[in-house]
Amino acid sequence: MRLMGFEKDGVRYIGSLEEDKVRSLGTAAQFYADPSIAQRNSAGPIFQRRDLVEVPPVPENARIFCVGINYRSHAGESKDIAGIDEPTVPMIFGRWQQSLSVNGTEIPVPPNEDGLDWEVEMAAIIGSRAWAVEEADALDHVLGYAAFNDISARKKQLMTPQFTLGKNADRSGPIGTIVTRDEVGDPAKGLRVTTHVNGELMQDGNTRDLLHSVGRIISYITDTVTLEPGDVIATGTPGGVGIGRKPPLLMNDGDVCVVEVEKLGRLTNRIVSHR
């Protein structure tokens, strides 16, 4: 099943998506109260997708846990850029739900940045409460997966060891529709992830190269924090980010970024001036 967020009368809903039609599965709050039950709702109204305002397919109180330096191909870049060694445990930092956007959203460059950087990622969306979860059982708590672009304001990110501001620029977290776990399987078996900027291939990786698997990340987080349905884990990006190039290459007004995750879909976003 593919799940989409949409908004009607100021309220966020979750719907099941089939081609150009969306069946409502209830408000986001209702859906994430128990996604396993909500997915079986066959009585909700059906809408044409073109008539809906798409929004992120997670609740408004979702937490986004991002994993830094989680591909070996990105570890070398990060050492050169920021002097950070390859982490021995998942390196977690946070995004706010308010920074999320969707396919087609225009993303503004903050006024004091030289541009924005791309980071294709596979995101895992939690489907059931998870606390002190063993790695072997962790995927049982995953609702599904989505394409994600962790667009980064590098100047602000690299000013201090804390990533928060540089990872929360306005509208800088495009997230796609959710493909449920039963249709994706174990991502450790390998999903290709790519980024194109203005048609040029910039990143080309595979989730089989994750340093820390989705299961390990969930286990690591939940020995401290209870994960709730609708929380998002962005699992990291492969090598090929713009700031790691010589000379660095960042996106500015008019540039078009396309990220794609195999089986999950594609996100296309145009970068615009903050003006």
Side-chain angles (χ1 to χ4, degrees), residues 202-244:
M202 298 296 183
Q203 289 181 287
D204 192 352
N206 195 291
T207 58
R208 72 167 65 94
D209 299 323
L210 288 169
L211 294 171
H212 307 291
S213 68
V214 174
R216 184 177 183 192
I217 295 165
I218 291 173
S219 179
Y220 179 76
I221 292 173
T222 61
D223 70 1
T224 307
V225 175
T226 300
L227 289 171
E228 300 287 352
D231 285 343
V232 177
I233 298 173
T235 59
T237 198
V241 297
I243 195 67

